[in-house]
Amino acid sequence: MITKFITDVSTKFNPFSKRAKTCRIFLAQLPPNARQTMKINTKLLPRSSKEASTLSLKFKDGKEMQLDTEKLGIKDVMEEVDRHSRGLNRQVNLLGN
């Protein structure tokens, strides 16, 4: 997963729910130095909460993604993130920066 273009990660999930698996795995996939390069906000919901799990991302170009992690699996989330990151990487390479 290409993370160098992500500036902000916000998650909200119930850690005891099976539906929160995608959020937990996404956070585990972030590199160890992620807190130095991006802002990470995690809101843990109580065990009895029925709120849906969500994942919000912001990129360096200003694009914001709101992903419903209860409907999307980890492969789908990583595919969406990588698709946008590859586009940004292509722009950087074409500009020569």
Side-chain angles (χ1 to χ4, degrees), residues 33-73:
N33 65 346
R35 290 207 179 268
Q36 297 169 358
T37 60
M38 64 184 81
K39 184 178 176 185
I40 300 174
N41 296 320
T42 303
K43 180 179 179 188
L44 298 178
L45 300 172
R47 183 181 291 239
S48 60
S49 176
K50 300 294 182 192
E51 274 189 74
S53 298
T54 59
L55 175 65
S56 302
L57 302 168
K58 292 182 185 174
F59 291 87
K60 287 186 178 179
D61 67 342
K63 179 173 179 161
E64 294 184 23
M65 282 188 183
Q66 303 287 332
L67 301 169
D68 183 8
T69 56
E70 291 195 358
K71 295 179 183 174
L72 297 173

Side-chain angles (χ1 to χ4, degrees), residues 13-30:
F13 62 94
N14 176 354
F16 302 105
S17 172
K18 289 182 182 179
R19 296 180 187 158
K21 185 176 181 180
T22 304
C23 279
R24 292 191 315 261
I25 293 174
F26 183 85
L27 289 173
Q29 294 293 319
L30 293 175

